[in-house]
Amino acid sequence: MKYKSIFDIIGPIMVGPSSSHTAGAVRIGQIARRIFGMEPEEIHIHFYGSFAETYKGHATDIAVIAGLLDFETDDPRIQNAILIAQKKGIQIHFYTEEIVPSHPNTLQIKLVKGDETLELTGISVGGGAVQITELNGFELNLSGENPAMLIYHKDAYGVVASVAVILANHKINISGMNVSRIEKDSMALMVIETDQTVQEEILNEIALKDNVKKVYVLSA
């Protein structure tokens, strides 16, 4: 395994006790919140594998709620995150699952606000680093370390090309792209990572394209 920096080994600056079970959980929650784009009314969290066995002792439950409140990994408010969320009127539900996941540090988040919902699965890979492996039923591999757009669209000819043309016209460089679909001619999820944050007017231009249903944005 290659390390990009010393922080991949010693972990991030954080409120402990564990970089994988605490800081990683904060980061997964934070990514979910930023994709959702608003404070949820309900939070449902399912813990799998090692998380299911140790989440209370390692404060994983508190950490993921802190991330969903958009706290950073070193925010001293983390230890009171559940109380803070409850005071805001947010309903919180925790579940432990017996299913053996592909990675021991796996959790699934469902966020609800009105008619809006988001379901996200993430894993904590160590040192505070994470991977988002599923979003609303679509497989993906997203670290959250780079700006990204997540575009729901009809699985139709020309959609990917039309989005790429808009980004090229605005001199936005694509650092990575992946398209996943559940079945042919249904809905698809296009994930585009970029070298810079895409401005709102560009996002609006993409959202107006034929067959594009919704655009989420994730800033690094």
Side-chain angles (χ1 to χ4, degrees), residues 79-103:
Q79 60 187 338
N80 297 314
I82 291 178
L83 180 60
I84 293 170
Q86 289 172 337
K87 286 184 176 179
K88 289 173 171 282
I90 300 172
Q91 299 179 41
I92 301 172
H93 307 274
F94 295 114
Y95 312 87
T96 56
E97 304 293 349
E98 296 183 358
I99 297 172
V100 178
S102 58
H103 191 284

PDB file of all heavy atoms in Angstrom, residues 79-103:
ATOM      1  N   GLN A  79     -18.133  15.278  21.081  1.00  0.00           N
ATOM      2  CA  GLN A  79     -18.547  14.464  22.223  1.00  0.00           C
ATOM      3  C   GLN A  79     -19.998  14.711  22.635  1.00  0.00           C
ATOM      4  O   GLN A  79     -20.626  13.863  23.274  1.00  0.00           O
ATOM      5  CB  GLN A  79     -17.626  14.719  23.410  1.00  0.00           C
ATOM      6  CG  GLN A  79     -17.600  16.155  23.896  1.00  0.00           C
ATOM      7  CD  GLN A  79     -16.549  16.381  24.968  1.00  0.00           C
ATOM      8  OE1 GLN A  79     -16.128  15.447  25.637  1.00  0.00           O
ATOM      9  NE2 GLN A  79     -16.127  17.626  25.129  1.00  0.00           N
ATOM     10  N   ASN A  80     -20.562  15.841  22.232  1.00  0.00           N
ATOM     11  CA  ASN A  80     -21.953  16.164  22.566  1.00  0.00           C
ATOM     12  C   ASN A  80     -22.865  16.137  21.339  1.00  0.00           C
ATOM     13  O   ASN A  80     -23.979  16.674  21.375  1.00  0.00           O
ATOM     14  CB  ASN A  80     -22.027  17.553  23.213  1.00  0.00           C
ATOM     15  CG  ASN A  80     -21.279  17.609  24.533  1.00  0.00           C
ATOM     16  OD1 ASN A  80     -21.423  16.721  25.372  1.00  0.00           O
ATOM     17  ND2 ASN A  80     -20.473  18.642  24.716  1.00  0.00           N
ATOM     18  N   ALA A  81     -22.399  15.495  20.264  1.00  0.00           N
ATOM     19  CA  ALA A  81     -23.103  15.581  18.984  1.00  0.00           C
ATOM     20  C   ALA A  81     -24.529  15.040  19.053  1.00  0.00           C
ATOM     21  O   ALA A  81     -25.458  15.645  18.499  1.00  0.00           O
ATOM     22  CB  ALA A  81     -22.317  14.848  17.909  1.00  0.00           C
ATOM     23  N   ILE A  82     -24.721  13.918  19.716  1.00  0.00           N
ATOM     24  CA  ILE A  82     -26.073  13.336  19.779  1.00  0.00           C
ATOM     25  C   ILE A  82     -27.015  14.266  20.531  1.00  0.00           C
ATOM     26  O   ILE A  82     -28.154  14.510  20.094  1.00  0.00           O
ATOM     27  CB  ILE A  82     -26.033  11.938  20.423  1.00  0.00           C
ATOM     28  CG1 ILE A  82     -25.324  10.953  19.481  1.00  0.00           C
ATOM     29  CG2 ILE A  82     -27.452  11.449  20.735  1.00  0.00           C
ATOM     30  CD1 ILE A  82     -25.194   9.549  20.031  1.00  0.00           C
ATOM     31  N   LEU A  83     -26.562  14.815  21.640  1.00  0.00           N
ATOM     32  CA  LEU A  83     -27.385  15.752  22.408  1.00  0.00           C
ATOM     33  C   LEU A  83     -27.705  16.998  21.586  1.00  0.00           C
ATOM     34  O   LEU A  83     -28.851  17.484  21.592  1.00  0.00           O
ATOM     35  CB  LEU A  83     -26.671  16.143  23.702  1.00  0.00           C
ATOM     36  CG  LEU A  83     -27.409  17.123  24.622  1.00  0.00           C
ATOM     37  CD1 LEU A  83     -28.742  16.537  25.069  1.00  0.00           C
ATOM     38  CD2 LEU A  83     -26.542  17.486  25.833  1.00  0.00           C
ATOM     39  N   ILE A  84     -26.717  17.497  20.864  1.00  0.00           N
ATOM     40  CA  ILE A  84     -26.928  18.682  20.013  1.00  0.00           C
ATOM     41  C   ILE A  84     -27.977  18.388  18.946  1.00  0.00           C
ATOM     42  O   ILE A  84     -28.882  19.200  18.697  1.00  0.00           O
ATOM     43  CB  ILE A  84     -25.600  19.136  19.375  1.00  0.00           C
ATOM     44  CG1 ILE A  84     -24.640  19.666  20.449  1.00  0.00           C
ATOM     45  CG2 ILE A  84     -25.845  20.200  18.306  1.00  0.00           C
ATOM     46  CD1 ILE A  84     -23.232  19.899  19.949  1.00  0.00           C
ATOM     47  N   ALA A  85     -27.873  17.212  18.319  1.00  0.00           N
ATOM     48  CA  ALA A  85     -28.840  16.844  17.280  1.00  0.00           C
ATOM     49  C   ALA A  85     -30.242  16.703  17.853  1.00  0.00           C
ATOM     50  O   ALA A  85     -31.226  17.156  17.246  1.00  0.00           O
ATOM     51  CB  ALA A  85     -28.401  15.540  16.606  1.00  0.00           C
ATOM     52  N   GLN A  86     -30.340  16.088  19.030  1.00  0.00           N
ATOM     53  CA  GLN A  86     -31.655  15.906  19.658  1.00  0.00           C
ATOM     54  C   GLN A  86     -32.272  17.247  20.025  1.00  0.00           C
ATOM     55  O   GLN A  86     -33.493  17.433  19.888  1.00  0.00           O
ATOM     56  CB  GLN A  86     -31.520  15.010  20.881  1.00  0.00           C
ATOM     57  CG  GLN A  86     -31.222  13.554  20.538  1.00  0.00           C
ATOM     58  CD  GLN A  86     -30.909  12.699  21.749  1.00  0.00           C
ATOM     59  OE1 GLN A  86     -30.490  13.205  22.794  1.00  0.00           O
ATOM     60  NE2 GLN A  86     -31.096  11.402  21.628  1.00  0.00           N
ATOM     61  N   LYS A  87     -31.473  18.189  20.471  1.00  0.00           N
ATOM     62  CA  LYS A  87     -31.983  19.528  20.799  1.00  0.00           C
ATOM     63  C   LYS A  87     -32.497  20.245  19.560  1.00  0.00           C
ATOM     64  O   LYS A  87     -33.365  21.112  19.647  1.00  0.00           O
ATOM     65  CB  LYS A  87     -30.896  20.346  21.487  1.00  0.00           C
ATOM     66  CG  LYS A  87     -30.642  19.929  22.933  1.00  0.00           C
ATOM     67  CD  LYS A  87     -29.616  20.831  23.596  1.00  0.00           C
ATOM     68  CE  LYS A  87     -29.445  20.478  25.070  1.00  0.00           C
ATOM     69  NZ  LYS A  87     -28.428  21.335  25.743  1.00  0.00           N
ATOM     70  N   LYS A  88     -31.955  19.887  18.388  1.00  0.00           N
ATOM     71  CA  LYS A  88     -32.435  20.450  17.130  1.00  0.00           C
ATOM     72  C   LYS A  88     -33.729  19.778  16.662  1.00  0.00           C
ATOM     73  O   LYS A  88     -34.303  20.169  15.650  1.00  0.00           O
ATOM     74  CB  LYS A  88     -31.356  20.286  16.042  1.00  0.00           C
ATOM     75  CG  LYS A  88     -30.131  21.176  16.206  1.00  0.00           C
ATOM     76  CD  LYS A  88     -29.068  20.789  15.179  1.00  0.00           C
ATOM     77  CE  LYS A  88     -27.919  21.756  15.149  1.00  0.00           C
ATOM     78  NZ  LYS A  88     -28.235  23.001  14.421  1.00  0.00           N
ATOM     79  N   GLY A  89     -34.144  18.733  17.382  1.00  0.00           N
ATOM     80  CA  GLY A  89     -35.359  18.019  17.014  1.00  0.00           C
ATOM     81  C   GLY A  89     -35.139  16.908  16.006  1.00  0.00           C
ATOM     82  O   GLY A  89     -36.104  16.361  15.452  1.00  0.00           O
ATOM     83  N   ILE A  90     -33.889  16.540  15.764  1.00  0.00           N
ATOM     84  CA  ILE A  90     -33.581  15.483  14.803  1.00  0.00           C
ATOM     85  C   ILE A  90     -33.828  14.120  15.449  1.00  0.00           C
ATOM     86  O   ILE A  90     -33.344  13.847  16.548  1.00  0.00           O
ATOM     87  CB  ILE A  90     -32.115  15.580  14.325  1.00  0.00           C
ATOM     88  CG1 ILE A  90     -31.872  16.937  13.643  1.00  0.00           C
ATOM     89  CG2 ILE A  90     -31.785  14.441  13.378  1.00  0.00           C
ATOM     90  CD1 ILE A  90     -30.407  17.202  13.302  1.00  0.00           C
ATOM     91  N   GLN A  91     -34.573  13.264  14.776  1.00  0.00           N
ATOM     92  CA  GLN A  91     -34.820  11.909  15.253  1.00  0.00           C
ATOM     93  C   GLN A  91     -33.658  11.009  14.831  1.00  0.00           C
ATOM     94  O   GLN A  91     -33.279  10.995  13.656  1.00  0.00           O
ATOM     95  CB  GLN A  91     -36.117  11.360  14.673  1.00  0.00           C
ATOM     96  CG  GLN A  91     -37.357  12.155  15.046  1.00  0.00           C
ATOM     97  CD  GLN A  91     -38.603  11.581  14.411  1.00  0.00           C
ATOM     98  OE1 GLN A  91     -38.783  10.362  14.351  1.00  0.00           O
ATOM     99  NE2 GLN A  91     -39.474  12.455  13.916  1.00  0.00           N
ATOM    100  N   ILE A  92     -33.115  10.277  15.785  1.00  0.00           N
ATOM    101  CA  ILE A  92     -31.941   9.440  15.527  1.00  0.00           C
ATOM    102  C   ILE A  92     -32.265   7.985  15.845  1.00  0.00           C
ATOM    103  O   ILE A  92     -32.812   7.679  16.912  1.00  0.00           O
ATOM    104  CB  ILE A  92     -30.743   9.898  16.380  1.00  0.00           C
ATOM    105  CG1 ILE A  92     -30.386  11.362  16.079  1.00  0.00           C
ATOM    106  CG2 ILE A  92     -29.531   8.997  16.132  1.00  0.00           C
ATOM    107  CD1 ILE A  92     -29.345  11.935  17.014  1.00  0.00           C
ATOM    108  N   HIS A  93     -31.897   7.083  14.933  1.00  0.00           N
ATOM    109  CA  HIS A  93     -32.133   5.654  15.125  1.00  0.00           C
ATOM    110  C   HIS A  93     -30.857   4.897  14.765  1.00  0.00           C
ATOM    111  O   HIS A  93     -30.289   5.100  13.689  1.00  0.00           O
ATOM    112  CB  HIS A  93     -33.282   5.169  14.234  1.00  0.00           C
ATOM    113  CG  HIS A  93     -34.538   5.969  14.389  1.00  0.00           C
ATOM    114  ND1 HIS A  93     -35.480   5.698  15.358  1.00  0.00           N
ATOM    115  CD2 HIS A  93     -35.000   7.059  13.707  1.00  0.00           C
ATOM    116  CE1 HIS A  93     -36.474   6.570  15.258  1.00  0.00           C
ATOM    117  NE2 HIS A  93     -36.214   7.404  14.262  1.00  0.00           N
ATOM    118  N   PHE A  94     -30.410   4.014  15.666  1.00  0.00           N
ATOM    119  CA  PHE A  94     -29.239   3.183  15.425  1.00  0.00           C
ATOM    120  C   PHE A  94     -29.664   1.718  15.321  1.00  0.00           C
ATOM    121  O   PHE A  94     -30.547   1.262  16.057  1.00  0.00           O
ATOM    122  CB  PHE A  94     -28.215   3.316  16.558  1.00  0.00           C
ATOM    123  CG  PHE A  94     -27.613   4.696  16.685  1.00  0.00           C
ATOM    124  CD1 PHE A  94     -27.858   5.466  17.810  1.00  0.00           C
ATOM    125  CD2 PHE A  94     -26.799   5.209  15.694  1.00  0.00           C
ATOM    126  CE1 PHE A  94     -27.302   6.726  17.945  1.00  0.00           C
ATOM    127  CE2 PHE A  94     -26.240   6.471  15.808  1.00  0.00           C
ATOM    128  CZ  PHE A  94     -26.491   7.238  16.933  1.00  0.00           C
ATOM    129  N   TYR A  95     -29.006   0.984  14.421  1.00  0.00           N
ATOM    130  CA  TYR A  95     -29.296  -0.434  14.229  1.00  0.00           C
ATOM    131  C   TYR A  95     -27.963  -1.190  14.104  1.00  0.00           C
ATOM    132  O   TYR A  95     -27.008  -0.679  13.522  1.00  0.00           O
ATOM    133  CB  TYR A  95     -30.105  -0.662  12.942  1.00  0.00           C
ATOM    134  CG  TYR A  95     -31.287   0.258  12.766  1.00  0.00           C
ATOM    135  CD1 TYR A  95     -31.144   1.511  12.158  1.00  0.00           C
ATOM    136  CD2 TYR A  95     -32.561  -0.109  13.194  1.00  0.00           C
ATOM    137  CE1 TYR A  95     -32.221   2.364  11.985  1.00  0.00           C
ATOM    138  CE2 TYR A  95     -33.658   0.735  13.020  1.00  0.00           C
ATOM    139  CZ  TYR A  95     -33.473   1.978  12.415  1.00  0.00           C
ATOM    140  OH  TYR A  95     -34.548   2.824  12.238  1.00  0.00           O
ATOM    141  N   THR A  96     -27.911  -2.395  14.642  1.00  0.00           N
ATOM    142  CA  THR A  96     -26.757  -3.271  14.422  1.00  0.00           C
ATOM    143  C   THR A  96     -27.192  -4.429  13.542  1.00  0.00           C
ATOM    144  O   THR A  96     -28.280  -4.985  13.725  1.00  0.00           O
ATOM    145  CB  THR A  96     -26.193  -3.804  15.752  1.00  0.00           C
ATOM    146  OG1 THR A  96     -27.228  -4.476  16.476  1.00  0.00           O
ATOM    147  CG2 THR A  96     -25.644  -2.661  16.602  1.00  0.00           C
ATOM    148  N   GLU A  97     -26.343  -4.758  12.583  1.00  0.00           N
ATOM    149  CA  GLU A  97     -26.676  -5.793  11.598  1.00  0.00           C
ATOM    150  C   GLU A  97     -25.720  -6.971  11.730  1.00  0.00           C
ATOM    151  O   GLU A  97     -24.528  -6.790  12.007  1.00  0.00           O
ATOM    152  CB  GLU A  97     -26.590  -5.210  10.180  1.00  0.00           C
ATOM    153  CG  GLU A  97     -27.454  -3.967   9.945  1.00  0.00           C
ATOM    154  CD  GLU A  97     -28.942  -4.255   9.999  1.00  0.00           C
ATOM    155  OE1 GLU A  97     -29.326  -5.442  10.005  1.00  0.00           O
ATOM    156  OE2 GLU A  97     -29.734  -3.293  10.028  1.00  0.00           O
ATOM    157  N   GLU A  98     -26.237  -8.163  11.512  1.00  0.00           N
ATOM    158  CA  GLU A  98     -25.424  -9.376  11.599  1.00  0.00           C
ATOM    159  C   GLU A  98     -24.817  -9.776  10.261  1.00  0.00           C
ATOM    160  O   GLU A  98     -23.933 -10.637  10.211  1.00  0.00           O
ATOM    161  CB  GLU A  98     -26.269 -10.529  12.148  1.00  0.00           C
ATOM    162  CG  GLU A  98     -26.756 -10.306  13.581  1.00  0.00           C
ATOM    163  CD  GLU A  98     -27.531 -11.487  14.123  1.00  0.00           C
ATOM    164  OE1 GLU A  98     -27.718 -12.469  13.363  1.00  0.00           O
ATOM    165  OE2 GLU A  98     -27.942 -11.423  15.299  1.00  0.00           O
ATOM    166  N   ILE A  99     -25.269  -9.163   9.184  1.00  0.00           N
ATOM    167  CA  ILE A  99     -24.711  -9.480   7.858  1.00  0.00           C
ATOM    168  C   ILE A  99     -23.218  -9.165   7.853  1.00  0.00           C
ATOM    169  O   ILE A  99     -22.791  -8.099   8.320  1.00  0.00           O
ATOM    170  CB  ILE A  99     -25.427  -8.661   6.769  1.00  0.00           C
ATOM    171  CG1 ILE A  99     -26.909  -9.028   6.718  1.00  0.00           C
ATOM    172  CG2 ILE A  99     -24.786  -8.875   5.402  1.00  0.00           C
ATOM    173  CD1 ILE A  99     -27.736  -8.139   5.817  1.00  0.00           C
ATOM    174  N   VAL A 100     -22.414 -10.080   7.326  1.00  0.00           N
ATOM    175  CA  VAL A 100     -20.970  -9.868   7.259  1.00  0.00           C
ATOM    176  C   VAL A 100     -20.653  -9.021   6.032  1.00  0.00           C
ATOM    177  O   VAL A 100     -20.906  -9.442   4.894  1.00  0.00           O
ATOM    178  CB  VAL A 100     -20.221 -11.214   7.173  1.00  0.00           C
ATOM    179  CG1 VAL A 100     -18.716 -10.970   7.066  1.00  0.00           C
ATOM    180  CG2 VAL A 100     -20.538 -12.071   8.404  1.00  0.00           C
ATOM    181  N   PRO A 101     -20.112  -7.824   6.225  1.00  0.00           N
ATOM    182  CA  PRO A 101     -19.844  -6.938   5.089  1.00  0.00           C
ATOM    183  C   PRO A 101     -18.512  -7.270   4.421  1.00  0.00           C
ATOM    184  O   PRO A 101     -17.703  -8.034   4.951  1.00  0.00           O
ATOM    185  CB  PRO A 101     -19.783  -5.559   5.746  1.00  0.00           C
ATOM    186  CG  PRO A 101     -19.206  -5.847   7.106  1.00  0.00           C
ATOM    187  CD  PRO A 101     -19.756  -7.195   7.511  1.00  0.00           C
ATOM    188  N   SER A 102     -18.272  -6.687   3.254  1.00  0.00           N
ATOM    189  CA  SER A 102     -16.997  -6.903   2.557  1.00  0.00           C
ATOM    190  C   SER A 102     -15.846  -6.216   3.292  1.00  0.00           C
ATOM    191  O   SER A 102     -14.697  -6.629   3.154  1.00  0.00           O
ATOM    192  CB  SER A 102     -17.090  -6.381   1.120  1.00  0.00           C
ATOM    193  OG  SER A 102     -17.425  -5.006   1.109  1.00  0.00           O
ATOM    194  N   HIS A 103     -16.147  -5.179   4.065  1.00  0.00           N
ATOM    195  CA  HIS A 103     -15.141  -4.507   4.891  1.00  0.00           C
ATOM    196  C   HIS A 103     -15.702  -4.405   6.300  1.00  0.00           C
ATOM    197  O   HIS A 103     -16.876  -4.083   6.492  1.00  0.00           O
ATOM    198  CB  HIS A 103     -14.838  -3.106   4.342  1.00  0.00           C
ATOM    199  CG  HIS A 103     -13.637  -2.469   4.971  1.00  0.00           C
ATOM    200  ND1 HIS A 103     -13.668  -1.928   6.245  1.00  0.00           N
ATOM    201  CD2 HIS A 103     -12.367  -2.306   4.520  1.00  0.00           C
ATOM    202  CE1 HIS A 103     -12.479  -1.452   6.536  1.00  0.00           C
ATOM    203  NE2 HIS A 103     -11.661  -1.670   5.509  1.00  0.00           N
TER     204      HIS A 103
END
